[in-house]
Amino acid sequence: AGDAERVRLLRLRANVRSTAGQYAAAVEDLEEAMSLGADGLGQELCDALRHAQADAAGTGDQLLSRSLTMRLAKAYKTHLGAEEQAREVVASWVNSNPLDHDAIYALLDLDTGAGRWEDVALGYTRLVKLEEGEAQTDAAVFLADAYEKAGTPEAARATLESLHKIDPQNARIRSRLRRLYEKIEAFRELSNLIIVEANQTNDDDLRFALLREAGELRMYQLNAAATAIGPLMEAADLRPHDEGVIVLLSEAYTLAGFAEDAVQLLQSAIERHGDKRSKDLGALQHRMARALAATGDHEGELKWLQAAWESYPQSGEMASELATRAMALQSWDAALKALRALAAMRTPAPISRPLALFRQAEIAEIQEDPRKAAFLAKKALSEDPSLKEAEEFLARLKA
């Protein structure tokens, strides 16, 4: 009963004080009444706080004005659920007081909760300029995250690049910049960033992995094989017998017009294998074939393609390439051997079983065996009725 009576009196006095323009005192009465369990005073409290804040601003009392601003925003959100009004109050304060860290963070909390990612990014942009050290790094990372959620990840690029330029050793900034480059497919910048990281690390395993990654990016994403040679050579210096990087470096040499260097590199790696056949040896021999093709040595190309397939006969890709190149070079025996293997394979390959049968039919016609050619073409067509080449081939044979 005592509390109820006190609440009644506090509300009455708050009303009198508000009428008299004593809004700060009215706020104190209303907040005390609410602490005693009074309901339905949210709007009255917000009105009193709004007037009290205006009065404090009018007198130039910044500390009181700021305190009342934050209390008003909290009251709007907590007692009225009016988050938009709470945001407007804090945003107005921040716009007038752009150096107020705590107010910016309060505005960020409201914007983050509402999913206003462009506004969140704007808030962290302010903090990047105000903060230093880890706090500045945090702000830059959160800024990039906000722009990514807003669907405009590239908007964070200038900030991250600027901070990375100032402090290339900052691993968090570098990592976030790398993620951004990957997102927007800025592969040239990404490869350069990875090389910077490789040059900074004392961990040889990490350095090797980074140099290899940079080389692959330059070769496959940028189609710039010549620029891939440098990082791949450095990786090969770290692990001279790593066949994965040898294959990559040989391909970079070949694509960049240095096929003779690729041949020399591969020859040493192949000799280290001895006579033991394996998938890894097949990969080296396959690259040797491509390097020789680039030099114009097609006899050597075919020889090494056959060797690669013999080292790894389960590979439908190698068998298909051997068949295709052997037919192009009119080496019918080599082509037929690969095509027969492809027709018997159970796993998918670039040259399917029906197509392998049809290619054998084409060779049979070239070798002047029309009966065999017709038989193989019919078999191919029965397995794949959509194979128009075989249908037209049979019609021509019949004619």
Side-chain angles (χ1 to χ4, degrees):
D3 284 350
E5 179 62 16
R6 181 162 180 77
V7 164
R8 187 182 72 80
L9 292 172
L10 285 168
R11 293 185 67 178
L12 181 61
R13 188 169 67 178
N15 185 51
V16 171
R17 284 174 163 174
S18 291
T19 303
Q22 299 173 1
Y23 297 109
V27 166
E28 301 300 330
D29 286 341
L30 290 169
E31 286 182 336
E32 184 179 350
M34 294 175 78
S35 72
L36 293 172
D39 295 325
L41 298 182
Q43 188 62 60
E44 292 177 50
L45 176 62
C46 289
D47 290 342
L49 279 166
R50 181 164 47 81
H51 286 297
Q53 193 274 339
D55 287 347
T59 63
D61 189 336
Q62 283 290 94
L63 288 177
L64 180 58
S65 179
R66 183 186 184 285
S67 173
L68 289 166
T69 295
M70 296 300 116
R71 288 162 68 185
L72 175 57
K74 182 178 180 181
Y76 271 134
K77 181 178 179 181
T78 305
H79 301 302
L80 299 182
E83 294 196 9
E84 190 60 33
Q85 286 177 284
R87 184 192 182 278
E88 287 177 8
V89 169
V90 181
S92 177
W93 176 265
V94 169
N95 289 335
S96 301
N97 301 271
L99 302 183
D100 189 334
H101 291 57
D102 291 342
I104 294 172
Y105 280 113
L107 181 58
L108 279 169
D109 285 342
L110 291 166
D111 285 335
T112 300
R116 301 170 62 117
W117 300 116
E118 290 286 351
D119 291 317
V120 171
L122 177 61
Y124 282 118
T125 299
R126 287 173 166 146
L127 288 172
V128 167
K129 297 174 183 177
L130 296 175
E131 301 285 19
E132 295 179 349
E134 280 299 305
Q136 184 184 57
T137 297
D138 287 341
V141 170
F142 291 141
L143 176 152
D145 292 345
Y147 273 128
E148 186 172 313
K149 290 175 181 176
T152 54
E154 193 161 5
R157 180 171 178 168
T159 298
L160 292 173
E161 286 180 337
S162 176
L163 293 178
H164 176 65
K165 186 176 181 179
I166 293 169
D167 182 12
Q169 302 286 342
N170 190 321
R172 290 182 62 205
I173 292 295
R174 184 174 60 238
S175 175
R176 192 59 186 82
L177 183 56
R178 173 174 177 154
R179 176 175 150 188
L180 171 63
Y181 284 154
E182 290 171 348
K183 183 78 174 178
I184 65 176
E185 299 185 350
F187 296 120
R188 187 178 309 282
E189 293 82 353
L190 177 59
S191 69
N192 292 339
L193 185 69
I194 291 171
I195 288 175
V196 168
E197 184 176 358
N199 291 336
Q200 290 177 352
T201 183
N202 294 319
D203 183 335
D204 283 347
D205 289 340
L206 177 58
R207 178 175 168 78
F208 171 83
L210 290 168
L211 288 167
R212 173 173 174 162
E213 183 181 4
E216 288 181 291
L217 279 170
R218 291 179 173 186
M219 185 156 55
Y220 298 127
Q221 299 296 343
L222 296 174
N223 295 317
T227 67
I229 291 173
L232 290 174
M233 283 183 68
E234 289 188 56
D237 287 342
L238 288 170
R239 295 186 186 175
H241 294 169
D242 186 287
E243 292 177 356
V245 84
I246 288 172
V247 166
L248 288 170
L249 180 54
S250 70
E251 184 168 5
Y253 277 142
T254 302
L255 293 174
F258 305 109
E260 292 82 0
D261 293 309
V263 170
Q264 185 177 352
L265 178 69
L266 290 164
Q267 188 65 53
S268 299
I270 289 169
E271 287 173 357
R272 284 195 294 270
H273 263 273
D275 297 328
K276 187 176 181 180
R277 295 177 178 179
S278 67
K279 180 179 179 179
D280 292 337
L281 176 59
L284 293 168
Q285 293 166 326
H286 185 214
R287 293 301 175 192
M288 177 68 89
R290 291 193 174 178
L292 289 170
T295 69
D297 181 359
H298 296 299
E299 183 179 343
E301 173 195 4
L302 197 58
K303 168 193 164 186
W304 283 104
L305 277 176
Q306 287 177 296
W309 179 46
E310 288 169 4
S311 292
Y312 186 37
Q314 298 88 354
S315 173
E317 288 78 9
M318 286 187 186
S320 297
E321 185 171 344
L322 172 59
T324 300
R325 292 300 295 146
M327 288 189 71
L329 297 171
Q330 299 184 5
S331 181
W332 308 124
D333 288 345
L336 284 170
K337 187 175 180 182
L339 289 168
R340 286 170 185 147
L342 285 163
M345 277 189 183
R346 297 181 179 275
T347 54
I351 294 180
S352 64
R353 171 178 163 80
L355 189 56
L357 292 167
F358 175 62
R359 294 288 179 246
Q360 291 178 67
E362 290 181 308
I363 294 172
E365 183 192 25
I366 292 168
Q367 293 179 333
E368 300 181 353
D369 190 345
R371 286 194 177 192
K372 186 173 184 180
F375 170 76
L376 288 166
K378 287 177 182 177
K379 192 170 184 182
L381 194 60
S382 70
E383 295 197 13
D384 183 3
S386 68
L387 194 58
K388 295 296 182 183
E389 284 182 281
E391 189 176 334
E392 293 167 1
F393 180 84
L394 284 168
R396 182 164 54 79
L397 279 181
K398 185 176 181 181

